[in-house]
Amino acid sequence: MDKVRLGVLVSGSGSNLQSIIDHIEQGLIEAEIRVVISSNPDAFALERAGRHGIPAETVIHADFADREAFDRKLVEILRSRSVDLVVLAGFMRVLSPYFLREFRMRVMNIHPALLPSFPGLHGQKKAFDYGVKFSGCTVHFADEGVDTGPIIIQAVVPVLDDDTEDTLAERILKEEHRIYPQAIQYFAQGRLTVSDRKVRVSGVSGASGVMHNPPLSI
Ligand code: GAR
C-alpha cells in the first residue's frame, strides 16, 4: 500500500512531530511527512523538520486579512504537496470551516486531556486543578468545534498524590508520543471508519478491565 502523505501543523516545541518522525524512520508507520507548517517562526519544531530534511514553511496569521485567508494559504501549501492527512501537533490556531471542508475527516488533533473533559488550552492544568484521579490524552478527528471531533484513541494516565502540574503533563506527553503515531498508522492502514461520531478501528477488540485510582482495598 502507498504511504499516507502527511502535512504536520505545529506552533511550538514539536515533540509530537519528533515522535511521528521517529516512528516513520523506524518503519513503524506507513507514512511520509510531505511538509511541516508552523504558525510561529521561532518554533523548535522547524528545527526538528530541518534536521530530518523535511520541507518546512512558516505561515503567520498576522500577514493575512482574516482566518479564512490564512487557512487558504495553508490549504494551498498542503495541496501543492499532495497531502492526504493533516496532523495538528501542538498547532495553536483554530481552523476555519473552509479548511475543515477541504479536508473532511482528514484532520487529526491531539489534546492533553481525556475529552470531552478539559478542552481548549492548558488541558493538563485544568485536570490537575480539578483534582481528577485519571487524566490522559486524546487523538480525534477535528471538526468545527474546539476539541469536539470524533475520538480515535485515548490513553488514560493516573494522577498521583505527589504530582505537580508539570509531572502530570510530562506523564501525559509520553503517552501522546505513543498514541499519535498509532492513530496515524490506523489511518494509513485504512482501518478507521466514522459513523454517528463513533470511530471504529477494524481488527481490534478494545480495552477490557476497569482501573481504580486509588486502588480498592476491600
Ligand atoms: C501537546 O501536549 C499537545 O497535546 C498540546 O500542545 C502540546 C504540543 O507539544 N495541544 C493542545 O493543547 C491543543 N489543544 P509539542 O509541540 O511538543 O508536540
Side-chain angles (χ1 to χ4, degrees), residues 78-120:
L78 294 164
R79 292 259 179 253
S80 76
R81 303 276 183 179
S82 306
V83 163
D84 305 308
L85 177 67
V86 179
V87 174
L88 307 180
F91 185 66
M92 293 304 173
R93 312 256 352 135
V94 175
L95 294 170
S96 63
Y98 160 76
F99 187 107
L100 292 162
R101 270 197 310 275
E102 291 292 308
F103 285 95
R104 167 97 20 225
M105 288 303 149
R106 290 190 299 129
V107 183
M108 282 185 191
N109 183 42
I110 189 152
H111 182 73
L114 287 177
L115 292 172
S117 292
F118 313 117

Side-chain angles (χ1 to χ4, degrees), residues 140-185:
H140 64 95
F141 286 114
D143 67 7
E144 278 78 3
V146 176
D147 301 322
T148 52
I151 292 172
I152 301 166
I153 182 168
Q154 294 185 303
V156 177
V157 169
V159 183
L160 307 177
D161 281 350
D162 58 358
D163 263 334
T164 63
E165 188 191 318
D166 289 344
T167 58
L168 176 61
E170 200 178 314
R171 193 173 312 118
I172 292 171
L173 190 61
K174 270 197 195 133
E175 294 307 312
E176 293 186 41
H177 296 164
R178 301 175 70 196
I179 66 171
Y180 220 171
Q182 177 65 77
I184 293 166
Q185 176 64 353

